[in-house]
Amino acid sequence: MGHVTGCAARSPALAACWAALALAPAALAPATLAPAALAAGTGGERRLAALYQQDGRRELTGADLERFPGAGVLWCRRPDGIPQKAAAAWLIGSRSLVLMNAHNFRNRQLEVTRNVADCYFQIAGRNYAFVPEILELGVEPEARRLHITDDWALLRLAEPAEARPQPIPDPPTLPTGDLTLPVTMVSPAGHENYRGQSSRESCAVRRIDPPSEGAIRRARHDCNDGYGGSGSGLFDAEGHLIAMQSASLSMNQRHAFDIEFHYGSALLIEGRLHEALEAQARAARDR
């Protein structure tokens, strides 16, 4: 299983921390952080570059937010105190529980890159503080690296959000191996290589790898991603959340999808993540 190479916010200082990280044969690029990649357009015009040649992303609408509840954004303050949009995050299971990527707070070597106290959750036009002491990460205590399949984090809000949470889905019953599963990628934080503030796109999961860390499988997909898209949700045709985006290979290279060299990676909502979601949701409801 490849290592995660995602970082926690869009700042040049943190961008440097991933500059040297690579996986043979291609770099596994973070879905958060760094400036938008630009491609030359016709007549000297410059345009934002999608991950693949086809880009079907469009802005989220009110109807989308009704269909995909719980969609929110992680914001974090820079050292100078200015808040910056960091990544997608999901109110899930209760009005106090938030799911996002672990790489918002840890690098690949599991070093702390950001304190929870410097961040907050935004949903439905309101900001909510976290309880910093309640941070559950997907990595095991003895782990030395952060991987795709343990790249998850759960945080508790200091007060319940006035928004409808995403229900905890049943674990997916998808087969391991190659397949074509139509999905919708919902990106409430948008992408640096997309002009809108948020996006959704119809795309497909193309392979599910065998279980790895925490009995969780990685889904390789052909959805357009970009810096800032960490934590985006992948939903099946019935609107069930099945996976959470972690990282992409060869970010913004605008190549055709390739199952081995140019694809997106998401972790399925199953195994230890699903168990943790249910336990944390129960604890949040019992408070």
Side-chain angles (χ1 to χ4, degrees):
M1 179 62 63
H3 296 305
V4 167
T5 56
C7 287
R10 305 174 187 179
S11 71
L14 283 174
C17 79
W18 294 117
L21 296 180
L23 290 177
L28 180 62
T32 58
L33 195 63
L38 296 175
T42 58
E45 178 188 359
R46 294 174 69 80
R47 57 182 170 77
L48 295 169
L51 196 59
Y52 308 109
Q53 288 98 331
Q54 302 297 320
D55 188 355
R57 289 173 292 182
R58 65 167 177 79
E59 192 76 10
L60 289 176
T61 66
D64 292 325
L65 294 175
E66 283 295 317
R67 186 183 180 199
F68 307 110
V73 178
L74 176 71
W75 287 80
C76 295
R77 297 175 183 84
R78 303 185 321 196
D80 60 7
I82 297 176
Q84 284 190 317
K85 186 190 294 187
W90 295 88
L91 189 69
I92 186 167
S94 83
R95 294 192 299 123
S96 298
L97 183 62
V98 180
L99 168 67
M100 66 196 74
N101 292 115
H103 73 240
N104 288 300
F105 306 102
R106 301 290 188 272
N107 63 19
R108 191 179 68 165
Q109 290 75 34
L110 296 177
E111 299 164 335
V112 176
T113 55
R114 175 181 285 113
N115 294 316
V116 173
D118 294 329
C119 303
Y120 58 88
F121 179 62
Q122 184 180 86
I123 189 169
R126 290 194 58 184
N127 300 332
Y128 297 90
F130 294 113
V131 179
E133 297 79 14
I134 305 178
L135 170 63
E136 182 173 359
L137 299 173
V139 293
E140 297 290 345
E142 68 276 9
R144 296 185 178 183
R145 292 288 188 273
L146 184 62
H147 307 85
I148 295 294
T149 49
D150 54 18
D151 184 24
W152 57 267
L154 294 174
L155 274 166
R156 195 85 57 79
L157 298 179
E159 61 175 309
E162 295 183 8
R164 183 162 60 102
Q166 175 68 210
I168 297 175
D170 294 329
T173 57
L174 300 170
T176 296
D178 291 340
L179 75 170
T180 299
L181 175 69
V183 294
T184 300
M185 175 179 269
V186 179
S187 304
H191 305 112
E192 286 279 9
N193 61 7
Y194 178 75
R195 296 187 185 281
Q197 294 299 306
S198 62
S199 75
R200 61 162 288 183
E201 182 181 31
S202 297
C203 38
V205 169
R206 307 287 288 275
R207 176 181 292 174
I208 297 179
D209 293 339
S212 185
E213 292 76 23
I216 298 170
R217 294 173 293 170
R218 174 175 65 166
R220 305 190 193 197
H221 61 79
D222 61 11
C223 309
N224 276 291
D225 186 32
Y227 297 111
S230 284
S232 298
L234 270 63
F235 291 81
D236 65 15
E238 287 72 43
H240 302 130
L241 177 65
I242 63 169
M244 181 176 65
Q245 171 67 5
S246 177
S248 291
L249 277 162
S250 303
M251 186 73 78
N252 299 322
Q253 294 300 304
R254 203 172 175 79
H255 298 314
F257 170 80
D258 186 300
I259 196 64
E260 301 294 345
F261 302 111
H262 191 46
Y263 58 87
S265 289
L267 59 148
L268 295 182
I269 311 297
E270 61 184 4
R272 201 164 78 81
L273 170 55
H274 191 271
E275 295 168 0
L277 280 168
E278 291 192 319
Q280 287 271 17
R282 284 194 302 269
R285 288 193 295 267
D286 293 341
R287 281 198 304 164

